[in-house]
Amino acid sequence: MLEDHKQKADKDITYMIITVSDTRTKATDKSGQLIHTTLEEEGFTLGKFEIVVDEKEDIQQAIKDGVNDAHMDAIIINGGTGIANRDVTIESVQPLFDKEIPGFGELFRYLSYKYDIGPAAMLSRATAGTIRSTVLFAMPGSSKAVELAMKKLIVPELAHMVFELKKDR
């Protein structure tokens, strides 16, 4: 049954990248570029790429702009998911979710623990959810974390998730 859904899933997906950082620029945003390159290689289409500062209002406005774009299927956020005072990505995205997808954060922390940073994985507050017919992922800004999330979790399921969100429309 799951394989049937995955086979029906369309690869015609448009995505938005939001990098949350007080210091990164387009030239220094390695993680945002990694997200773009990974999804482009899968045949997905970049709709918008934005860098916003670690401010709740700015993060939420960027998300709302993406969700209000009828062509945007997915929003991928990197940065601001830790426990420092300036890390407000999770506080920004969670109130906007229609449905939270806790499995993403759980699996991300497990894989981070097992394959990357060990017990420091518990400091990650990575999460995912849906807002109307858009799926949103929020992950740390480190390139290693982005590569792990993209290759092990997001790329294998993105088309299936978008299919699920759109099948009843």
Side-chain angles (χ1 to χ4, degrees):
M1 180 75 159
L2 179 60
E3 287 305 313
D4 290 343
H5 283 210
K6 284 190 173 191
Q7 288 174 356
K8 291 179 187 174
D10 191 352
K11 288 272 200 158
D12 185 19
I13 292 173
T14 301
Y15 62 92
M16 175 181 192
I17 299 168
I18 301 173
T19 295
V20 177
S21 175
D22 290 333
T23 59
R24 290 192 185 155
T25 65
K26 291 271 186 191
T28 62
D29 183 15
K30 293 178 185 174
S31 293
Q33 290 300 325
L34 178 59
I35 293 167
H36 172 58
T37 301
T38 303
L39 293 176
E40 188 177 55
E41 288 171 357
E42 292 295 317
F44 302 136
T45 303
L46 176 64
K48 192 170 186 183
F49 193 145
E50 206 170 317
I51 298 175
V52 299
V53 294
D54 287 285
E55 294 291 341
K56 186 174 184 178
E57 297 78 21
D58 293 327
I59 297 165
Q60 287 184 333
Q61 188 59 56
I63 293 166
K64 289 173 185 176
D65 290 347
V67 169
N68 288 331
D69 181 335
H71 297 91
M72 207 66 67
D73 301 301
I75 298 172
I76 317 259
I77 301 175
N78 74 95
T81 63
I83 62 170
N85 287 335
R86 292 289 295 156
D87 292 332
V88 297
T89 297
I90 303 308
E91 291 76 15
S92 304
V93 302
Q94 282 181 327
L96 301 177
F97 285 157
D98 294 323
K99 295 183 180 182
E100 193 162 1
I101 305 170
F104 172 75
E106 293 162 358
L107 287 168
F108 176 77
R109 283 180 285 281
Y110 166 75
L111 292 170
S112 294
Y113 174 83
K114 186 171 181 179
Y115 297 110
D116 190 16
I117 58 174
M122 75 174 89
L123 279 74
S124 172
R125 299 183 304 139
T127 191
T130 65
I131 305 169
R132 297 196 303 248
S133 62
T134 304
V135 63
L136 181 146
F137 298 93
M139 64 184 131
S142 88
S143 294
K144 286 180 91 174
V146 166
E147 181 177 22
L148 180 72
M150 293 304 296
K151 291 188 176 176
K152 296 284 189 185
L153 299 171
I154 296 172
V155 167
E157 285 300 316
L158 184 57
H160 180 216
M161 294 170 97
V162 170
F163 169 78
E164 287 294 322
L165 284 172
K166 295 183 176 209
K167 72 179 180 183
D168 297 330
R169 292 193 308 163

